[in-house]
Amino acid sequence: MSIQWNEKNREFHLRNSFLSYIISLLPDGSVGLAHFGPPLSPDRSYPRLLRTESRAWSFRGDGQPDDFGLDFARREYPTPFRGDFRVPALTASDVRGAPLALDLRYAGHLVRPGKPALRELPATYVEDAAEAETLTVYLRSADCALEVDLHYTIFRDLPILARRATIRNAGSARVFLDRALSASVDFDDPDWDLVQFSGAWARERHVRRRRLGPGLQSVSSVRGHSGHEHNPAVALARPGTSEESGEVYGFALVYSGNFVAGAELSSHGETRVSIGINPENFRWSLDPGAGFETPETALSYSRSGFSALSDAYHRLFSKRLARGPWRDRERPVLLNNWEGTYFDFNEERLLGMARSAKDLGVELFVLDDGWFGERNDDTSSLGDWDSNPQKLPEGISGLARKIEAMGLKFGLWIEPEMVNPRSRLFAAHPDWAIGPMNGARTLCRNQYVLDLSRGEVVDHLYSVLSRLLRSAPVSYVKWDMNRSITEPVSSALSPERQGEFFHRYILGLYELYGRLTADFPEVLFESCSGGGGRFDPGLLAFAPQAWTSDDSDAIERLGIQWGSSFFYPASSMGAHVSASPNHQVGRAVPLGTRASVAFFGAFGYELDPDALSGADRAAIKEQISFFKEWRTVFQFGSFLRLRGPEDGDGNEVSWMSVSGDQSRAVVLFARVLARPNPPFGRLRLRGLDPERTYRVSARPSVPVPGEASARLNDGSRGGDELMSVGLLLGGDGWAGIPRGDFASWIFTLEAVT
Ligand code: GLA
């Protein structure tokens, strides 16, 4: 890893063994991008890669060379109004509303070891200054008071470059930022697919891949949270790129609020990727002397397909974004009562469930919604976080202590950011809800959102939550957020600052999460937003796992977890076995398959264990003990996608996880619908050691009779054979085919040599 400055050619070369990022100064003194991609020799310099060109209708400033046009240049932090008509990274206006034609030029730089923390926002980090190096490029303008610093951190052991900007008003008059993105990256050619992760509530983060066409294509959120609809992480891939080969670039925004991420293909075939806070509904007032920091974007590059890209993000997010003691710990097997009881429970029923769960091997009992105020349905009491004495006569602390006495840990659901109009909190503080005080506010799930841009609201929530966590042995918190923000007006902000509201909300949220996680490091936080409505890198910095989706159906989860795995590690995905037929889609899936899919995550159950048949109870006991034996590999192994919903007819999905030393691996193979007389096939495994021999054992989702069952566990194979020939599917091979729809197998591999 190195960052070199070549004074003569005015070029920075940031390099590690995975990638080079070469920044050069353009003829107008601004900062351009010569190369982002495979590592290039640090012994040369690359002025010719910084193509400068001028054509008809080209624009350049006085005294700049004839062969230079801003509209074709690869610019690192583009500003508009001077001849570059593509999407800008930064726009600003003065107090009269007049746009500023910012002419930001290189004015110096600083290279330092390590990676400085951000002031107010979560970010990736290093534990030792030798793990990374950081370059800051100072941009200044002769005719405007705005100063911009571009920060680049290159990691030694990861194909990751972290980028962000800080902007300061060095003048004597107020300036408004109308757009302040985190990164803009210009590529030289048009041959790209944009890969995004999109969906809706209960069907989040499905892979969508489209060929770039002329113009702007982007995903975004204006909901006040990152949203179920699109994820703030996208990839730009060559059209032929597959899991194992081809070029792909990743862009992940460490942020939980309104975002935009997209690509613009210009008329001359250049591609500009932009990512950052959504400029829609954003206007930040910078007083003289004040500064603004953008969220961080983690960029990555792989020349060997999506798997390597995913591996980079899994390592970054699980080890250098997530923090606290739970980062490296195996996550407890939990039972959550939500789908088992919904609002209908009392202490006796919960204790009964906990006792049964303990008997099954569960380690953590989680009490979900409905334990506080007068909440027996979703119409009231959010905001009133005192336990309901009718349901819990000895309160949360009494219940938690009884559950701990059984040898279980206790966890609790809370939705701190919300308030129901029917609550004591709203009666006392109507102005704490977002929206105009005397105007109409829009309801969603009968609730309003509290104004976390206000310090007193954050302080109030901190005191409620910290009191709760101190008053009872709570080991885990599921922090929910069940609606988007409407009427984005804060009664505490002046009219000219209302454009700051959405970002200030997220800053308040991070402050609250930051204070609580610092004061209660032993508590495991799981974030949630109606399932995966805020499943983003920003919250991973505080909560190392998130409830992946409210859809707990194993077949739907194949697509959801598959898509999520492009950027997010298995340890971050809450994944539960729920009852059959499934409550979201009505599908009846074998218990074995429900567990096989959920194993690859922060595993648990979400059903009433007292309603289980004896056979199911026995099967679950066995599942949990199997899971515990393999938990490290499921949650912390290298995750590889083998066959996905978008391959072939999508009927088969397969992925695997391999331990760091390649001695153990687990493989999922799921077949959605049964087919008569199925064709033969092979499942090639990956990530194994070709020199070693592995004992392969199969766990089918439903028992396989007789001879076929014996064949399932027929011994040992070389890593080379498993990866180049694979497991034979159907016919005479390993697979006794369980009959019926929604069958699956888990294969375990243990190195014997
Ligand atoms: C959200 C969550 C669910 C559950 C309910 C409770 O929808 O995603 O898991 O906690 O709220 O109201």
Side-chain angles (χ1 to χ4, degrees):
M1 164 195 68
S2 60
I3 299 178
Q4 289 175 4
W5 164 238
N6 181 323
E7 178 83 49
K8 184 166 152 269
N9 290 316
R10 294 163 53 94
E11 175 181 286
F12 296 98
H13 190 161
L14 298 87
R15 185 182 190 281
N16 62 19
S17 55
F18 311 95
L19 61 85
S20 278
Y21 197 95
I22 302 177
I23 300 163
S24 287
L25 302 194
L26 289 161
D28 68 344
S30 69
V31 189
L33 179 64
H35 170 76
F36 175 26
L40 297 178
S41 166
D43 304 331
R44 296 193 197 97
S45 75
Y46 300 90
R48 71 195 146 275
L49 292 184
L50 192 70
R51 176 185 45 73
T52 57
E53 207 177 318
S54 154
R55 301 212 178 162
W57 284 73
S58 239
F59 298 80
R60 66 175 176 278
D62 248 5
Q64 287 164 12
D66 289 349
D67 64 351
F68 176 61
L70 269 176
D71 38 355
F72 306 113
R74 291 176 69 182
R75 308 177 71 210
E76 271 296 89
Y77 204 62
T79 49
F81 311 131
R82 291 172 39 255
D84 180 357
F85 298 96
R86 295 164 291 174
V87 171
L90 176 70
T91 59
S93 45
D94 67 17
V95 275
R96 296 161 306 153
L100 300 174
L102 298 168
D103 184 2
L104 292 163
R105 301 181 181 200
Y106 170 80
H109 69 269
L110 176 72
V111 175
R112 55 195 138 160
K115 182 173 194 294
L118 275 70
R119 213 160 31 90
E120 295 177 298
L121 289 164
T124 60
Y125 60 90
V126 292
E127 289 193 329
D128 176 337
E131 284 178 27
E133 245 182 304
T134 299
L135 163 71
T136 301
V137 180
Y138 305 118
L139 306 181
R140 303 291 179 258
S141 168
D143 49 11
C144 166
L146 277 193
E147 300 184 346
V148 176
D149 297 348
L150 301 180
H151 309 277
Y152 302 83
T153 298
I154 184 144
F155 286 74
R156 182 189 57 201
D157 304 323
L158 290 168
I160 296 286
L161 183 95
R163 273 195 68 174
R164 65 190 178 90
T166 47
I167 301 147
R168 242 181 340 277
N169 181 355
S172 52
R174 176 180 280 191
V175 174
F176 290 96
L177 300 181
D178 300 310
R179 164 190 290 261
L181 299 188
S182 297
S184 175
V185 181
D186 281 351
F187 294 88
D188 259 335
D189 73 275
D191 297 322
W192 300 105
D193 288 345
L194 179 66
V195 186
Q196 64 193 63
F197 303 90
S198 298
W201 172 80
R203 50 181 173 84
E204 301 91 337
R205 292 177 303 286
H206 287 271
V207 181
R208 296 280 179 263
R209 184 170 177 165
R210 53 172 146 156
R211 191 72 197 263
L212 279 192
L216 193 57
Q217 34 254 279
S218 63
V219 292
S220 61
S221 166
V222 287
R223 293 171 168 269
H225 56 119
S226 45
H228 301 91
E229 290 68 23
H230 305 291
N231 201 259
V234 297
L236 202 64
R238 292 293 176 195
T241 295
S242 66
E243 284 295 333
E244 288 174 85
S245 70
E247 278 197 303
V248 53
Y249 294 81
F251 306 85
L253 187 67
V254 186
Y255 194 59
S256 307
N258 292 345
F259 74 93
V260 64
E264 181 182 16
L265 184 55
S266 78
S267 315
H268 296 90
E270 294 159 307
T271 302
R272 172 170 289 176
V273 174
S274 315
I275 186 164
I277 292 178
N278 196 339
E280 186 78 31
N281 306 319
F282 172 85
R283 189 156 204 250
W284 196 271
S285 160
L286 272 188
D287 285 331
F292 181 82
E293 70 182 7
T294 74
E296 172 175 287
T297 293
L299 275 56
S300 184
Y301 168 71
S302 157
R303 53 175 154 181
S304 49
F306 287 102
S307 287
L309 189 85
S310 297
D311 188 59
Y313 283 106
H314 294 170
R315 286 171 201 272
L316 180 75
F317 289 173
S318 63
K319 297 295 179 200
R320 291 296 178 267
L321 179 59
R323 61 201 77 209
W326 280 104
R327 181 188 76 176
D328 303 324
R329 282 189 201 156
E330 293 184 356
R331 308 295 159 71
V333 177
L334 64 79
L335 178 94
N336 178 305
N337 75 309
W338 178 242
E339 289 196 19
T341 65
Y342 294 106
F343 292 103
D344 182 17
F345 59 81
N346 56 27
E347 189 186 77
E348 200 185 325
R349 182 150 184 221
L350 297 177
L351 290 175
M353 289 172 83
R355 231 171 273 118
S356 304
K358 171 69 185 162
D359 181 54
L360 295 172
V362 164
E363 297 159 321
L364 167 71
F365 179 85
V366 178
L367 173 56
D368 211 280
D369 195 356
W371 55 267
F372 50 91
E374 294 165 15
R375 190 153 169 102
N376 295 312
D377 53 34
D378 65 13
T379 59
S380 84
S381 303
L382 292 171
D384 300 342
W385 300 108
D386 298 314
S387 57
N388 177 341
Q390 264 85 55
K391 290 180 175 176
L392 305 175
E394 293 178 47
I396 285 296
S397 84
L399 174 69
R401 278 176 229 289
K402 287 176 199 164
I403 283 177
E404 284 239 320
M406 291 178 198
L408 285 167
K409 293 290 179 195
F410 177 76
L412 195 61
W413 176 99
I414 189 162
E415 198 181 354
E417 298 157 73
M418 299 293 156
V419 65
N420 285 116
R422 270 183 56 207
S423 67
R424 283 183 282 117
L425 183 71
F426 187 71
H429 297 286
D431 57 320
W432 282 10
I434 294 168
M437 259 297 271
N438 301 316
R441 290 179 173 123
T442 307
L443 281 165
C444 173
R445 210 191 188 208
N446 309 301
Q447 63 201 56
Y448 298 140
V449 188
L450 290 173
D451 184 353
L452 267 66
S453 76
R454 292 174 70 154
E456 68 209 297
V457 175
V458 171
D459 288 343
H460 166 77
L461 293 175
Y462 173 78
S463 83
V464 167
L465 278 151
S466 56
R467 208 177 323 121
L468 196 61
L469 295 179
R470 275 197 193 98
S471 70
V474 177
S475 304
Y476 158 107
V477 168
K478 176 177 171 188
W479 181 319
D480 211 341
M481 193 272 187
N482 276 317
R483 61 157 291 178
S484 306
I485 292 174
T486 53
E487 293 92 17
V489 176
S490 168
S491 45
L493 286 173
S494 59
E496 74 279 9
R497 288 200 181 271
Q498 293 294 339
E500 302 176 15
F501 168 74
F502 274 116
H503 184 56
R504 286 193 181 277
Y505 181 92
I506 294 296
L507 292 178
L509 173 71
Y510 288 153
E511 187 196 328
L512 184 57
Y513 251 115
R515 284 164 72 180
L516 288 162
T517 49
D519 288 358
F520 300 93
E522 284 299 324
V523 174
L524 170 59
F525 283 83
E526 175 159 335
S527 73
C528 176
S529 173
R534 209 163 52 183
F535 195 109
D536 57 58
L539 279 193
L540 269 187
F542 304 100
Q545 59 191 60
W547 181 224
T548 311
S549 175
D550 271 349
D551 195 336
S552 60
D553 173 69
I555 300 305
E556 293 297 311
R557 278 296 186 110
L558 289 173
I560 296 169
Q561 290 175 215
W562 173 273
S564 305
S565 79
F566 277 73
F567 280 88
Y568 301 97
S571 59
S572 71
M573 293 185 216
H576 302 171
V577 173
S578 58
S580 179
N582 174 269
H583 293 191
Q584 292 80 40
V585 294
R587 187 179 284 134
V589 171
L591 182 56
T593 294
R594 281 179 269 154
S596 301
V597 177
F599 283 153
F600 288 83
F603 178 65
Y605 291 80
E606 185 154 336
L607 41 69
D608 181 358
D610 291 328
L612 293 169
S613 69
D616 281 358
R617 205 186 305 270
I620 289 179
K621 258 189 187 173
E622 194 278 332
Q623 287 172 353
I624 294 178
S625 92
F626 165 77
F627 176 74
K628 288 176 179 168
E629 214 181 300
W630 290 87
R631 169 161 41 190
T632 303
V633 190
F634 279 122
Q635 294 184 338
F636 295 106
S638 302
F639 185 91
L640 293 156
R641 290 173 298 270
L642 301 178
R643 192 169 294 185
E646 67 273 15
D647 297 327
D649 62 1
N651 199 45
E652 293 166 351
V653 174
S654 179
W655 59 58
M656 66 185 289
S657 197
V658 187
S659 67
D661 64 0
Q662 294 174 302
S663 67
R664 304 172 85 206
V666 282
V667 182
L668 167 76
F669 181 83
R671 194 193 51 208
V672 178
L673 295 180
R675 299 265 156 81
N677 193 15
F680 301 109
R682 289 162 192 252
L683 180 66
R684 286 197 307 118
L685 305 187
R686 296 173 49 213
L688 303 173
D689 182 342
E691 307 289 326
R692 292 170 97 167
T693 304
Y694 292 88
R695 187 172 53 241
V696 182
S697 313
R699 294 168 51 90
S701 53
V702 290
V704 174
E707 210 184 308
S709 164
R711 275 208 309 273
L712 285 177
N713 294 303
D714 72 344
S716 304
R717 301 165 192 216
D720 56 351
E721 177 195 323
L722 288 164
M723 292 195 291
S724 54
V725 181
L727 293 165
L728 294 177
L729 303 179
D732 202 23
W734 54 268
I737 305 280
R739 293 171 69 78
D741 294 337
F742 320 126
S744 70
W745 294 260
I746 291 283
F747 298 98
T748 58
L749 279 73
E750 280 171 286
V752 290
T753 61

